[in-house]
Amino acid sequence: MSRRDKDSDKDKDAVHVVIETGSRSLRVGRSDYLLGPVKLQTRIARIDKDGNSVLVAGEDLAKLIASGTNLDIRHPMALSRVVDWDAFEDLLKYAVVKELGIRRASNESAAIVVVPLSWSTVHVERLVQIMFETINVPGLFVLDSPLAALYATGLVTGLVVDLGHETTDITAVLDSAVCRQSSQTIPIGGKHILAHLKSLLKADPAFMASLGNLELDDELVSSYMTSGQCKLLNAKEWTKPPLLNTIKRTEWNYKGVALSIGAQRHQAFEILFQPSLAGLDQVGLAEATYITAMGATDALDKRFSLWESILLTGGVSNVAGLQDRYESEMAIYISASATSNDFQAKDLKFVGVPEFFSAYKEGNADAAYLGGILVARLTLNSAGQHITKSDYNELGPSVVRTK
């Protein structure tokens, strides 16, 4: 048993398995909020080892890719949905067996799986079948990602803005009820921002000259995106015409080379608010948020609660300046009018994962996984609160429609 498992088992509530699925990464671990998750890229491969077919993922797969090994790499998810169920099943097996050290034949660990809101009932049924028949869990709870993320902040009402790898999803939650009818999805995520930044850098002669023998590839651009150098300007700064021409160039050291970067560090994430810059005829983040909140409820007091509890989560949510820019863009939508009342929002309020959870180094980006841990402790210890093996044996995958 790994150290992670030994430490977790000291707490009787930490024996459960927590899994969060996503297009780019899968988080897995035990229900111990003092330990952060194992994060695997959502990809899987098989290799021959001593005549046996062995699954590889995570760091093991990354090492094989770096070594130039010829591999058939499968990507089970796209746009937050499973597109290859066989590969997805293999990834779950690897996560539970390899990363957590659980023997499927004698599995005594119930599981909670946090899934994207876009999953249909058919998707959830297939997941339930895999978890009971392949992973052999004794119990299971499936939780919508926006609700899990909000629970991590200690709230049951709020707006969850999930800035993911392929999409940005905005969802309202009212008293623990997910408002599916008003949820909005913008087809812009981290991979589109990377492509946009790459094109901006390629069009900059000074940057290209500073590359030397380096290649402008996705690894370089991704490293810069996560270096803390990028920053969104607020709405007032962005609308000043001379601004971009007066921004001083900075140097960023990458593999021993000093790269010269100008306004691109401010322009890269701009497509979240101006999708037209990426050639998309699509509302931006601010308008999509307004549509979500207005469509969620007609009750002014409930809407007021949404504006006061906004959670920015997902891998893109950590970019500097995002909260300030978001607030300035939203001002036009929530500004007080002559007929304003006590339930008219005057400004936005943002919420996040409490600092107490120090193991979650990515902060709000880990919110859905942390929420899964908290819900696991409430639901998986009571047979009436989750799907048991007896429930599954009686009703099969359709049990999700009744429980």
Side-chain angles (χ1 to χ4, degrees), residues 66-83:
S67 69
T69 303
N70 187 24
L71 298 164
D72 178 18
I73 301 173
R74 294 174 294 162
H75 299 268
M77 294 188 67
L79 297 175
S80 299
R81 297 190 179 190
V82 178
V83 294

Side-chain angles (χ1 to χ4, degrees), residues 348-385:
L348 303 181
K349 292 184 180 179
F350 295 87
V351 298
V353 173
E355 293 182 2
F356 168 77
F357 298 108
S358 58
Y360 298 86
K361 297 179 181 179
E362 294 189 44
N364 288 355
D366 282 327
Y369 177 83
L370 176 57
I373 288 180
L374 302 178
V375 173
R377 289 167 164 249
L378 296 173
T379 61
L380 295 180
N381 290 322
S382 173
Q385 298 296 319

Side-chain angles (χ1 to χ4, degrees), residues 94-399:
Y94 182 92
V96 173
V97 176
K98 176 71 173 179
E99 294 295 342
L100 300 185
I102 293 174
R103 294 175 60 87
R104 288 187 289 150
S106 55
N107 186 2
E108 297 180 353
S109 298
I112 186 167
V113 184
V114 180
V115 301
L117 189 64
S118 59
W119 277 31
S120 67
T121 303
V122 174
H123 272 75
V124 176
E125 286 180 336
R126 187 70 180 270
L127 169 69
V128 169
Q129 182 178 12
I130 292 172
M131 293 303 292
F132 278 106
E133 297 185 11
T134 301
I135 308 301
N136 193 32
V137 295
L140 178 67
F141 191 88
V142 181
L143 180 64
D144 289 327
S145 180
L147 190 55
L150 192 61
Y151 281 164
T153 70
L155 298 174
V156 295
T157 293
L159 278 169
V160 180
V161 183
D162 187 352
L163 299 107
H165 177 58
E166 295 184 307
T167 61
T168 294
D169 302 297
I170 307 105
T171 308
V173 178
L174 294 170
D175 298 325
S176 295
V178 176
C179 302
R180 294 174 179 270
Q181 77 282 0
S182 70
S183 180
Q184 296 287 308
T185 295
I186 302 173
I188 295 177
K191 76 172 190 178
H192 305 95
I193 296 169
L194 185 149
H196 184 53
L197 176 57
K198 189 175 183 179
S199 66
L200 291 172
L201 293 173
K202 187 175 182 179
D204 179 10
F207 171 80
M208 294 303 292
S210 70
L211 272 177
N213 295 325
L214 292 177
E215 181 180 351
L216 178 57
D217 54 18
D218 288 353
E219 181 185 355
L220 183 154
V221 180
S222 179
S223 296
Y224 186 70
M225 281 177 59
T226 57
S227 67
Q229 301 291 315
C230 290
K231 180 183 179 181
L232 270 163
L233 301 175
N234 65 43
K236 291 182 179 180
E237 290 173 324
W238 179 259
T239 53
K240 293 179 181 178
L243 181 67
L244 292 179
N245 296 327
T246 58
I247 291 176
K248 294 181 179 180
R249 303 188 70 87
T250 62
E251 287 191 349
W252 174 59
N253 190 283
Y254 179 74
K255 294 185 177 180
V257 178
L259 302 179
S260 174
I261 301 178
Q264 298 87 358
R265 64 184 184 274
H266 300 302
Q267 296 171 306
F269 289 78
E270 190 63 30
I271 60 175
L272 289 169
F273 297 95
Q274 299 188 66
S276 59
L277 295 175
L280 292 175
D281 183 14
Q282 166 74 48
V283 299
L285 184 55
E287 187 174 351
T289 303
Y290 180 74
I291 293 171
T292 298
M294 296 299 289
T297 178
D298 292 327
L300 293 180
D301 58 333
K302 295 291 186 182
R303 200 177 293 159
F304 180 79
S305 297
L306 292 177
W307 295 132
E308 285 208 319
S309 307
I310 298 178
L311 171 63
L312 301 178
T313 185
V316 179
S317 65
N318 290 328
V319 62
L322 175 61
Q323 184 171 306
D324 288 343
R325 176 58 182 278
Y326 194 92
E327 189 168 12
S328 62
E329 289 279 347
M330 287 299 301
I332 189 174
Y333 296 105
I334 65 166
S335 57
S337 64
T339 59
S340 64
N341 53 55
D342 290 341
F343 295 121
Q344 174 77 46
K346 306 301 188 295
D347 51 27
L348 303 181
K349 292 184 180 179
F350 295 87
V351 298
V353 173
E355 293 182 2
F356 168 77
F357 298 108
S358 58
Y360 298 86
K361 297 179 181 179
E362 294 189 44
N364 288 355
D366 282 327
Y369 177 83
L370 176 57
I373 288 180
L374 302 178
V375 173
R377 289 167 164 249
L378 296 173
T379 61
L380 295 180
N381 290 322
S382 173
Q385 298 296 319
H386 65 271
I387 302 170
T388 65
K389 178 151 286 188
S390 295
D391 295 329
Y392 182 78
N393 290 340
E394 180 182 354
L395 298 172
S398 64
V399 67

